[in-house]
Amino acid sequence: PSALVSAETAPRPKENGLEARIRQALRDVIDPEVGINVVDLGLIKDVAVENGRVAVRMVLTTPDCPLASYLVEQVRRSAQRVNGVQAVEVTLSAEPWDGGATRAGPGQVNLEAGD
């Protein structure tokens, strides 16, 4: 017997591509200390969208980042500019930045110390 999926438990579409458009807009936010956008840097951990309301969860490269409030505000503004977004909340996660998105490949810069 196959399990039935209700409307409440069914996976939701990504709000007609809104999440992807938000992530693309966040690529315009550059961390001025390293010159790389927050998406490629791995600082954006989650983008959740529901009825035009957006929740962005991000981390910082260091817990005491002097640019924390600047980066949070730039992320909020960039997401807010996307057509279809009604409200944006950006929260900083306490989880450590793993730098995984910055591991060097061909033609890329490696930001991890000791490599």
Side-chain angles (χ1 to χ4, degrees), residues 74-92:
Q74 293 306 306
V75 166
R76 189 193 65 74
R77 287 181 183 185
S78 289
Q80 186 69 57
R81 282 190 215 108
V82 175
N83 188 29
V85 172
Q86 296 175 8
V88 178
E89 179 182 4
V90 180
T91 57
L92 287 174

Side-chain angles (χ1 to χ4, degrees), residues 1-108:
S2 62
L4 295 176
V5 177
S6 74
E8 294 164 11
T9 60
R12 291 185 178 197
K14 299 283 184 180
E15 296 262 336
N16 295 322
L18 187 55
E19 180 183 337
R21 294 195 319 270
I22 293 165
R23 285 183 182 276
Q24 185 61 38
L26 295 181
R27 290 181 178 280
D28 291 338
V29 179
I30 305 297
D31 183 325
E33 291 187 319
V34 293
I36 299 174
N37 74 68
V38 295
V39 174
D40 289 345
L41 202 50
L43 301 183
I44 304 301
K45 292 300 182 180
D46 186 49
V47 176
V49 180
E50 187 172 335
N51 299 322
R53 298 191 177 280
V54 178
V56 178
R57 186 174 57 88
M58 65 180 290
V59 297
L60 299 171
T61 55
T62 64
D64 297 323
C65 177
L67 297 171
S69 60
Y70 168 81
L71 289 171
V72 167
E73 182 60 16
Q74 293 306 306
V75 166
R76 189 193 65 74
R77 287 181 183 185
S78 289
Q80 186 69 57
R81 282 190 215 108
V82 175
N83 188 29
V85 172
Q86 296 175 8
V88 178
E89 179 182 4
V90 180
T91 57
L92 287 174
S93 174
E95 74 182 86
W97 175 64
D98 66 8
T102 61
R103 291 193 178 94
Q108 295 178 331

